[in-house]
Amino acid sequence: MSVDRGADPPARRDLPARAPTDREGTVSRLDDVLLGGSRRWSVHALAEHLGQEVDEVRAYWRTLGLPHPDPDEPLLTDADAAAMERSTALGREHGLAQETVTSLVRALGHTSDRLALWQVEALVEDLSTRLELDDVSARLLLIDLLPQLVPLLEAQLVHSYRRQLAAIAGRYAAEFGEANRPGADPLALPLARGVGFADMVSFTRRTAALGPVDLSVFVQRFEAATRDVVAAEGGRVVKTIGDAVLFAADDPETGARVAVGLAEAFGLDPGTPVDVATGAAHAGRLPKLGAVRGLRGPRAPRHLRPVPDDAEPAPDLTHTPVRVGFVWGRVLSRFGDVFGPSVNLAARLSDAAEPGTVLTDAVTAAALEGHPTLRCESLGTRELSGLGPVEAFRLRRVGA
């Protein structure tokens, strides 16, 4: 079938303009769905109702990371009042210190803010692409769709949260026997973990010419691909930082398999597709990433294409190698992150690694010694920034 590249793009499916009364009605409906009712409490009134100081109510709101309400304006709901009462109950009924309660509330505010933004932007992108809407129209349509979507998203959130708590509890249960082992160093960091960094090679050069949509697609696919590899091998993503990912694992072998899997999944040979480059460990597990064409892809709205369809494609993730550093050691876990000397060492080793390879240290190499499918080869001493000379080992997969 021939395609007329010079044909005019189809008319955009713009939404009709809304009258102010429509906006007010939409906000009222959203308040019912999202906030559980009308905004009837001011800060002063809610403080009096709860028997708390005004500063305590404002501090709770601030800890959640939400805009500071005018203390005399009715902006808070019965659900807000119930949330504050539950927060107070953590200290009153369960004995938690106020600093701990504040940390728990801050964790909720930080993670839910990022989660809500992530999901909203994903939905906007879906509507814009699938219905060929401009960005503003897609956002307005999403406002109308939220009442239908919120119950499903909320149920998925609760399910995911409970599964994550169960997974953490299971990991802790497996470590209880080690906690009071004879001779344990009371000053040692509490958790024995494998930690690693995978850093995309030449990210700035590869993405400098990308437009906003191409860049968004490229980063999203990199993050999705790294998460797929980490999860498939039994590790956990601690955080992603644009062109890098920090992962953790509960034992040296799992962490090593994650590290090697990441190096293999992104490959080094431009002629090698993903599901061949990754070998048996990942064959069929990762989606075919293909070229990240972004605006030029088949699902991109025509009216958002500023470049011709025959333009040079954006970088291909399968041809974008990563450098990986992996270390087994003890860490401190706080605020959803991990800290400690082994984390710093893994970051420096990733900086020193060649594209498509994994570097580790002598302690980790000793922990993996004798493994049938993982091999560590000494590369001699490397001078690492901020750490000085460190014996580096290349970690790779070998035949069983």
Side-chain angles (χ1 to χ4, degrees):
M1 178 184 295
S2 63
V3 178
D4 181 5
R5 298 287 184 187
D8 291 333
R12 290 182 291 183
R13 303 177 191 177
D14 295 330
L15 296 178
R18 295 164 178 241
T21 53
D22 292 333
R23 293 193 184 94
E24 293 171 5
T26 298
V27 170
S28 178
R29 289 195 301 274
L30 286 177
D31 279 358
D32 288 339
V33 173
L34 298 178
L35 305 182
S38 61
R39 306 173 189 239
R40 70 189 193 94
W41 296 98
S42 68
V43 170
H44 281 132
L46 185 56
E48 183 178 354
H49 172 71
L50 296 176
Q52 298 185 6
E53 297 294 330
V54 169
D55 286 346
E56 292 180 290
V57 176
R58 299 183 75 170
Y60 177 83
W61 202 252
R62 184 172 60 251
T63 304
L64 274 179
L66 295 167
H68 296 182
D70 184 311
D72 295 312
E73 187 176 355
L75 292 175
L76 307 179
T77 69
D78 288 341
D80 294 320
M84 281 208 63
E85 289 178 320
R86 289 192 296 270
S87 177
T88 302
L90 289 171
R92 183 181 63 249
E93 298 176 13
H94 298 278
L96 273 64
Q98 183 57 46
E99 292 81 0
T100 302
V101 174
T102 299
S103 180
L104 294 175
V105 174
R106 182 171 288 116
L108 287 172
H110 176 73
T111 54
S112 58
D113 169 66
R114 186 164 189 253
L115 174 64
L117 182 61
W118 186 334
Q119 292 187 331
V120 163
E121 292 300 335
L123 291 167
V124 167
E125 184 176 5
D126 175 78
L127 293 171
S128 176
T129 300
R130 184 162 46 87
L131 302 181
E132 297 193 355
L133 296 173
D134 63 82
D135 185 75
V136 172
S137 297
R139 292 176 190 277
L140 291 174
L141 179 57
L142 177 59
I143 292 174
D144 289 335
L145 294 177
L146 276 178
Q148 305 169 38
L149 295 172
V150 164
L152 296 174
L153 295 175
E154 185 176 40
Q156 290 295 91
L157 169 62
V158 172
H159 171 261
S160 176
Y161 176 70
R162 288 178 175 272
R163 291 295 302 184
Q164 294 292 351
L165 279 180
I168 292 172
R171 294 197 298 270
Y172 280 10
E175 295 182 66
F176 282 164
E178 183 185 347
N180 297 313
R181 68 190 187 285
D185 182 358
L187 299 181
L189 294 177
L191 300 176
R193 292 288 184 269
V195 292
F197 275 93
D199 188 14
M200 189 188 303
V201 176
S202 302
F203 174 79
T204 301
R205 177 179 60 80
R206 294 173 187 274
T207 59
L210 298 184
V213 176
D214 272 337
L215 179 60
S216 172
V217 172
F218 185 76
V219 172
Q220 286 180 44
R221 291 192 179 184
F222 174 72
E223 180 166 326
T226 54
R227 287 181 181 275
D228 285 345
V229 174
V230 173
E233 294 291 8
R236 300 180 303 284
V237 171
V238 176
K239 62 183 177 182
T240 55
I241 318 159
D243 60 339
V245 59
L246 169 62
F247 64 89
D250 294 334
D251 59 80
E253 178 186 351
T254 298
R257 286 192 283 104
V258 170
V260 173
L262 286 168
E264 292 175 342
F266 291 90
L268 189 57
D269 180 2
T272 306
V274 166
D275 53 356
V276 173
T278 56
H282 295 285
R285 293 188 186 180
L286 287 178
K288 281 186 176 291
L289 300 175
V292 182
R293 299 186 62 85
L295 294 177
R296 295 170 288 278
R299 284 168 52 84
R302 281 181 171 269
H303 63 278
L304 291 179
R305 296 176 186 167
V307 293
D309 285 334
D310 58 356
E312 196 66 25
D316 185 342
L317 273 182
T318 63
H319 309 157
T320 305
V322 294
R323 297 183 174 94
V324 186
F326 170 68
V327 174
W328 174 254
R330 303 196 75 84
V331 302
L332 175 70
S333 177
R334 289 292 185 275
F335 318 118
D337 207 340
V338 289
F339 305 89
S342 60
V343 181
N344 300 331
L345 178 55
R348 295 294 179 263
L349 285 169
S350 70
D351 293 339
E354 294 295 324
T357 68
V358 182
L359 288 187
T360 190
D361 69 333
V363 172
T364 309
L368 295 170
E369 187 174 3
H371 193 279
T373 62
L374 296 168
R375 187 72 44 82
C376 294
E377 302 168 351
S378 177
L379 300 179
T381 300
R382 298 287 178 90
E383 190 74 24
L384 301 184
S385 175
L387 298 178
V390 172
E391 185 179 8
F393 291 74
R394 179 177 178 181
L395 172 61
R396 62 187 180 90
R397 198 190 309 272
V398 296

